[in-house]
Structure formats: C-alpha cells, structure tokens
C-alpha cells in the first residue's frame, strides 16, 4: 500500500465578487445620474412651460386691455357724434317753443356720456334747454296790454311781452320772436300771420313790442303769438 500526499485545495478567487460589486455600484451611479438628468430636464421643461403660460397670460391681459380701450373709444366717439347732432339742432332759427320742449326732453333722456359731451361742445345751449324744460308751461310767454291801431292799409301792434320763466330769465335777456295776426273775423289757428318782429325781453321778464305791418284796412280782430325764444347774444 502506498500512501500519497494530496496537494492543498485552491481557495476560490474573490475577483468576480469584487467585479460584481463594482458593477452594481456603477449601475446604481448610472441610474442616479440618469434620474438626476431626467429630473433636471423635466424641471427645465416645466419652467419653460410656466414661462410660456405666464407670457400667454400677459398677452391675454394686454389684448383684453386693448379691446376695452377700443370699446371705450368707440363709445366716446358715438357719444360725441350724438352730442354734436343735438348741439347743431339747437339754434336760434330752430328755437320754436314746441321744439325746445322736445330738445329739452331729448337732453334728459340722454345717457350720461352723451350729456357730458354736450356740456363740452355747447354748454350755453345745454343750460338754456335745461332751463326751458324746467320752466315750460302753458302761457309762459305771452302779450299783455295789447292794442291794434288801423291806419289806412297798415296796422300797428303795441303790447308788452312777458316771460314767466325764472330759470330761463336767470340766464339773462331773451329775444322773443312774435308773429302778428289780423283778419276781418275772429283769429283762429288756421289764419296766417301778416308779419313778425323780435322783442328784447330783459331779465326782469318784460319787453315792449311795437310794430307796424301792412293790412287791408278791413281788419276787425288782431292777435300776437310768441313762436320762438333765444338768449340774447348766443
């Protein structure tokens, strides 16, 4: 029998285990780096999106402001146009008593921006129309102590024109256009005037009328009718 000696067994190498650990660590580092890069990229995208949203909001606000400004300009232009039309219509030639009432009512019913535009464009006309509308009543302007004298083919009218309108008279003297009527029958609304004259009525409320007009010489009735009123000097 022989006795042999076996060599000692080799210990397994630790290199593969070390390499495995290193690879695992590198993999974790790679994952962490990748995750960090992804989060950083997403953060930049979010910031860019937030900036775009803020920019869009700012543009929306700017557009809304421009729209509001344009609407205001259109409204102001419309108010100014309506105000100018009203001012152009209120004149000495158009100052019939009935028309002044309607112009005063139109002024009352105007929207505030239009009234403000009227105040800027023709403040004196506005004040007159408002005063007339406030005082308007039957018989606010009329003749007193009227006399009609026939002399051949002419007729002379004498009277005192009185204005009973405190708000109107507060504005100063007034010019009153008066039409004269004469006929051989009682005067009616269907009769035509034989002429007219303008009477200056002071702020005290009265003014003298004296005018001679052509006639037929056969007149038996006469009348005076105030038809227009307008502030002296306006």
């Amino acid at each position: 029998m022989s006795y042999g000696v076996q060599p000692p067994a080799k210990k397994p190498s630790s290199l593969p285990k070390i390499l495995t650990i290193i690879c695992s660590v590198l993999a974790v580092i790679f994952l962490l780096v990748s995750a960090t890069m992804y989060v950083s990229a997403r953060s930049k995208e979010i910031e860019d999106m937030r900036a775009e949203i803020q920019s869009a909001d700012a543009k929306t606000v700017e557009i809304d402001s421009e729209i509001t400004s344009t609407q205001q300009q259109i409204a102001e232009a419309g108010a100014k146009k309506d105000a100018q039309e009203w001012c152009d219509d209120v004149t000495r030639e158009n100052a019939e008593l009935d028309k002044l009432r309607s112009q005063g009512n139109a002024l009352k019913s105007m929207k505030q921006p239009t009234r403000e535009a009227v105040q800027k464009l023709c403040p004196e006309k506005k004040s007159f129309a408002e005063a007339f509308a406030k005082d308007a009543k039957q018989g606010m302007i009329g003749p007193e102590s009227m006399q009609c004298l026939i002399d051949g083919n002419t007729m002379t009218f004498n009277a005192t024109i009185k204005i009973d309108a405190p708000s109107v008279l507060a504005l100063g003297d007034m010019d009153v256009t008066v039409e004269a009527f004469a006929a051989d029958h009682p005067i009616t609304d269907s009769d035509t005037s034989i002429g007219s004259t303008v009477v200056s009525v002071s702020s005290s409320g009265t003014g003298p009328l004296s005018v001679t007009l052509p006639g037929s010489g056969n007149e038996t009735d006469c009348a005076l009718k105030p038809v227009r009123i307008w502030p002296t000097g306006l």
Side-chain angles (χ1 to χ4, degrees):
M1 172 184 285
S2 62
Y3 296 91
V5 178
Q6 294 182 346
K10 290 183 179 181
K11 294 182 179 179
S13 175
S14 62
L15 181 60
K17 187 180 294 185
I18 293 172
L19 289 176
T20 300
I21 294 172
I22 292 173
C23 289
S24 298
V25 171
L26 289 176
V28 170
I29 292 172
F30 176 77
L31 287 175
L32 289 174
V33 171
S34 297
T36 302
M37 291 177 65
Y38 175 78
V39 170
S40 176
R42 288 296 297 164
S43 296
K44 187 177 185 306
E45 288 179 7
I46 292 171
E47 287 298 324
D48 290 344
M49 289 175 63
R50 184 180 289 113
E52 289 178 3
I53 292 171
Q54 290 176 343
S55 176
D57 289 343
K59 288 181 179 178
T60 300
V61 171
E62 182 181 354
I63 292 171
D64 288 343
S65 177
E66 290 177 356
I67 291 173
T68 301
S69 176
T70 301
Q71 290 174 335
Q72 289 176 343
Q73 290 174 4
I74 292 172
E76 289 173 0
K80 186 176 181 180
K81 176 179 176 293
D82 292 341
Q84 188 64 63
E85 289 177 355
W86 186 89
C87 290
D88 291 344
D89 190 50
V90 181
T91 64
R92 178 180 292 270
E93 293 73 24
N94 286 343
E96 292 92 354
L97 304 186
D98 289 340
K99 188 159 187 178
L100 282 173
R101 285 192 189 91
S102 65
Q103 289 166 336
N105 291 333
L107 186 62
K108 285 181 181 179
S109 63
M110 283 180 183
K111 294 181 180 178
Q112 186 63 28
T114 306
R115 276 200 302 273
E116 291 174 355
V118 169
Q119 178 63 33
K120 292 179 181 179
L121 292 170
C122 56
E124 292 178 327
K125 291 182 178 181
K126 178 176 179 287
S127 296
F128 173 58
E130 288 174 334
F132 186 90
K134 182 178 180 180
D135 290 341
K137 61 180 179 291
Q138 190 70 28
M140 68 179 287
I141 308 172
E144 291 186 341
S145 306
M146 185 179 68
Q147 293 180 338
C148 301
L149 304 174
I150 298 175
D151 184 8
N153 291 330
T154 64
M155 176 173 282
T156 299
F157 295 79
N158 294 308
T160 296
I161 299 301
K162 181 178 180 180
I163 299 177
D164 181 15
S167 300
V168 171
L169 293 173
L171 301 176
D173 297 351
M174 295 287 148
D175 294 335
V176 178
T177 301
V178 181
E179 290 186 346
F181 298 81
D184 58 1
H185 56 265
I187 305 298
T188 66
D189 291 340
S190 62
D191 285 306
T192 303
S193 71
I194 62 173
S196 65
T197 187
V198 177
V199 179
S200 179
V201 178
S202 70
S203 58
S204 65
T206 60
L209 178 150
S210 182
V211 61
T212 299
L213 299 169
S216 66
N218 298 320
E219 291 84 3
T220 58
D221 290 78
C222 63
L224 293 171
K225 180 182 179 182
V227 292
R228 285 189 292 276
I229 182 173
W230 192 254
T232 302
L234 178 59

